[in-house]
Amino acid sequence: MPCLLFFKVEAAGKPCRQYTDRIVWARTVKLGTHTLMPSGGCLLFLKVKVVVAEYRLEPLELGPSNLIPDSSGRMPKMVLWRAPGTDVSGMVCRCEKVVTTSEKLLEGEVYHYHTKIVMKDPLVGGRQEWHQDYGYWYQNGLLYPDAMSVFVAIDRCNKANGCLQVLPGSHKVGRIEHRSLAGQTGADLERVEHLKKIFPLTYMEMEPGDALFFHSNVLHASDENNSPNRRWALIMAYIRKSNNPVESMTGPFPRYTPLEKVPNSAILDCTNVTDFSGKDFLDPSTDKTVKADTSN
């Protein structure tokens, strides 16, 4: 299976799937011709876009502790929750297409690790330093990199507003050393620069509703948003059931909990867009892998 699996919504509303990496993990899995979106194109995630934009799912509600400084001093905004909940965003991370695709890629039952919205506001949004997700999650007791993320564009993502950058194939080098970099956990930059000479730097320019599934050891980053346009993304993390973290090392993150799938139609059918009870929001000040700015 590829380390990167890209589901894209085409202009004509017909979905396509493309592999962005020639180096596979173990085998290619046939996922069919449907994407996360129903026949109405990207309406599924446009509904989520409306919800996060208009119904209080804003980081400011949780206070300034969700500001995680980058190396330049800018403050990327982030809100993270550890349980799906019953609102529309919970339906997204529990929907059959997302979960079943993740299970096929990780070759086993998965559980929800966390979901977050990363917000890069116009002209001020900060960067995400080069890292592997497993560089963070290893510190939380995961013994294996049998884990992945699903990045869904809420807004148009391009170079100008700080789209995701990846090094396809870099998961093959295994976990590399990570260290504290400003408020974030970043990969060894000297090693990253060498790996850029081997693996092609790819800018993942995406339209709203596009989804990228990627392995936890894929190196990725994103630049500041120096454009006048907002760049928000929904990122869901899944861990294979067999990769239950060491209990004494999990910190504020969950261990295995069965994930109840819902049909894809549950997203558009969901009427709960304001009740976020049960989502178990994370206070970043309790997370040892970041240093939140709480000065404001």
Side-chain angles (χ1 to χ4, degrees):
M1 62 186 67
C3 72
L4 298 173
L5 179 62
F6 186 33
F7 282 125
K8 184 169 181 59
V9 181
E10 294 183 332
K14 296 181 180 179
C16 68
R17 182 190 69 206
Q18 61 188 44
Y19 299 132
T20 59
D21 182 26
R22 290 170 294 178
I23 303 174
V24 300
W25 287 343
R27 61 188 179 86
T28 299
V29 177
K30 293 182 180 179
L31 298 173
T33 58
H34 298 290
T35 69
L36 306 178
M37 276 55 76
S39 59
C42 61
L43 290 176
L44 183 156
F45 283 111
L46 287 179
K47 179 168 183 178
V48 178
K49 180 176 179 179
V50 170
V51 169
V52 297
E54 299 179 2
Y55 291 101
R56 302 190 299 112
L57 197 54
E58 288 264 14
L60 297 180
E61 279 196 38
L62 305 178
S65 62
N66 64 326
L67 303 176
I68 313 297
D70 64 16
S71 57
S72 69
R74 287 194 182 186
M75 304 286 185
K77 294 180 181 180
M78 181 268 292
V79 60
L80 181 150
W81 54 93
R82 293 162 287 192
T86 59
D87 66 298
V88 67
S89 66
M91 298 301 105
V92 175
C93 72
R94 292 169 53 198
C95 80
E96 186 175 29
K97 181 57 70 173
V98 172
V99 179
T100 301
T101 299
S102 299
E103 289 177 334
K104 288 179 179 178
L105 290 170
L106 288 176
E107 301 179 318
E109 180 185 346
V110 301
Y111 64 96
H112 174 261
Y113 195 47
H114 60 67
T115 296
K116 61 185 176 182
I117 294 180
V118 175
M119 290 149 282
K120 296 190 180 201
D121 290 331
L123 303 176
V124 297
R127 63 177 283 110
Q128 294 292 323
E129 309 293 346
W130 280 102
H131 68 281
Q132 299 163 310
D133 287 341
Y134 190 50
Y136 282 83
W137 300 343
Y138 175 83
Q139 299 182 54
N140 295 324
L142 287 179
L143 298 180
Y144 302 95
D146 297 330
M148 64 179 299
S149 295
V150 184
F151 181 105
V152 179
I154 295 176
D155 300 312
R156 178 175 288 110
C157 300
N158 51 41
K159 289 184 181 180
N161 66 10
C163 69
L164 195 66
Q165 302 172 37
V166 298
L167 299 184
S170 58
H171 67 300
K172 285 290 187 177
V173 305
R175 182 181 64 88
I176 64 178
E177 192 67 28
H178 283 63
R179 56 176 63 94
S180 178
L181 187 59
Q184 303 177 28
T185 293
D188 178 350
L189 290 179
E190 182 179 4
R191 191 171 293 263
V192 170
E193 291 305 311
H194 282 291
L195 291 172
K196 285 181 181 178
K197 300 174 184 178
I198 302 172
F199 304 107
L201 173 60
T202 303
Y203 289 86
M204 297 304 303
E205 296 194 304
M206 303 167 69
E207 295 296 321
D210 287 354
L212 178 71
F213 292 69
F214 59 96
H215 188 276
S216 64
N217 268 338
V218 170
L219 278 162
H220 58 288
S222 60
D223 285 334
E224 302 92 343
N225 183 0
N226 293 318
S227 80
N229 302 310
R230 193 185 75 171
R231 199 229 76 175
W232 283 20
L234 181 74
I235 307 174
M236 300 165 283
Y238 298 94
I239 312 295
R240 195 165 73 184
K241 176 183 177 180
S242 60
N243 194 21
N244 207 15
V246 177
E247 188 168 7
S248 62
M249 300 171 65
T250 56
F253 291 95
R255 302 183 80 235
Y256 168 73
T257 302
L259 180 59
E260 183 181 352
K261 297 181 193 179
V262 297
N264 297 330
S265 60
I267 301 172
L268 290 175
D269 293 340
C270 183
T271 59
N272 177 13
V273 294
T274 57
D275 180 6
F276 304 132
S277 58
K279 295 185 77 66
D280 195 15
F281 287 95
L282 174 73
D283 177 356
S285 66
T286 66
D287 183 358
K288 62 187 175 183
T289 64
V290 300
K291 294 179 181 178
D293 186 304
T294 59
S295 60
N296 293 326

